[in-house]
Amino acid sequence: DPAKGRAEYLPTLERPVILKWPLRNIHTDTAWYGDISIDKTISVMPGAHLTLMPNTKALFSQGAGLHVKGKITAKGLKNAGITFTSLKGEENSAWDEILLDHADGSEFAGCVFENATWALHVHFTSLKVNGCTFIKNYGGMRFRSGPIEITNSTFRENEIGLRSNAGNALITGN
């Protein structure tokens, strides 16, 4: 009924508004959707599970990263991948790294890692990486122990693609 008022609206945004992540520590199961700005290193504490949903972008400031002591799952879809990148700058080392330390059961699939110092830095973690792209990082991935599976992934335009010290890995189809 036009006599009861008028509704005005703006066109919908092409992308969601970037959410600046407010917490330094994640203590409970958490899911990230859309574009997340990270301006410091965020810790996923033991017992917590961080899930990145398809079509999510994690945008890191200089020196920022993730330290996963719990578990992380980032599984993109064919047309809705997950990107870990720099908020500003396209050179390698524009942000720090994703460090997994005793983060068993973590998994990355259909992800792009770009412009990091080390995209993935893994210690004492069973991890699966499938169908991911590591591009324009100083280092794509470094790890110790495992077991780690790296399958069907691409490493290009990194200073170092893979580095392992006393690692246990299945690396195939890359």
Side-chain angles (χ1 to χ4, degrees), residues 49-53 71-75 82 105-109:
H49 182 185
L50 175 62
T51 303
L52 281 80
M53 303 307 291
K71 180 178 173 182
I72 185 170
T73 303
K75 295 167 94 176
I82 296 169
S106 293
E107 185 173 1
F108 295 92

Side-chain angles (χ1 to χ4, degrees), residues 96-107:
D96 193 23
E97 66 185 4
I98 299 171
L99 171 61
L100 289 86
D101 189 2
H102 294 88
D104 281 342
S106 293
E107 185 173 1

Side-chain angles (χ1 to χ4, degrees), residues 10 28 36 38 40 45 52 62 69 84 95 98 112 116 120-121 128 135 143 154-155 158 164:
L10 297 173
T28 187
I36 308 294
I38 301 155
K40 57 193 160 288
M45 304 309 287
L52 281 80
Q62 182 73 38
K69 303 175 209 173
F84 299 90
W95 60 280
I98 299 171
V112 174
L120 291 178
H121 181 178
K128 292 183 180 181
I135 184 169
F143 59 94
T154 302
F155 295 81
N158 304 290
S164 176

Side-chain angles (χ1 to χ4, degrees), residues 36-156:
I36 308 294
S37 169
I38 301 155
D39 65 356
K40 57 193 160 288
T41 296
I42 307 296
S43 293
V44 179
M45 304 309 287
H49 182 185
L50 175 62
T51 303
L52 281 80
M53 303 307 291
N55 215 23
T56 294
K57 257 190 196 179
L59 302 149
F60 296 90
S61 295
Q62 182 73 38
L66 283 173
H67 185 179
V68 182
K69 303 175 209 173
K71 180 178 173 182
I72 185 170
T73 303
K75 295 167 94 176
L77 302 173
K78 185 174 182 178
N79 294 320
I82 296 169
T83 302
F84 299 90
T85 191
S86 169
L87 184 61
K88 299 177 185 172
E90 296 184 7
E91 69 283 347
N92 70 26
S93 300
W95 60 280
D96 193 23
E97 66 185 4
I98 299 171
L99 171 61
L100 289 86
D101 189 2
H102 294 88
D104 281 342
S106 293
E107 185 173 1
F108 295 92
C111 296
V112 174
F113 301 87
E114 59 188 12
N115 310 120
T117 301
W118 282 95
L120 291 178
H121 181 178
V122 185
H123 290 280
F124 309 106
T125 298
S126 66
L127 172 68
K128 292 183 180 181
V129 176
N130 181 42
C132 292
T133 300
F134 297 81
I135 184 169
K136 296 182 181 175
N137 304 290
Y138 170 75
M141 191 172 170
R142 67 179 173 172
F143 59 94
R144 179 181 177 113
S145 69
I148 295 176
E149 292 181 22
I150 306 167
T151 56
N152 305 313
S153 295
T154 302
F155 295 81
R156 62 186 167 95

Side-chain angles (χ1 to χ4, degrees), residues 24-41:
R24 182 167 292 283
N25 298 311
I26 297 174
H27 292 279
T28 187
D29 293 354
T30 302
W32 283 355
Y33 302 81
D35 294 350
I36 308 294
S37 169
I38 301 155
D39 65 356
K40 57 193 160 288
T41 296

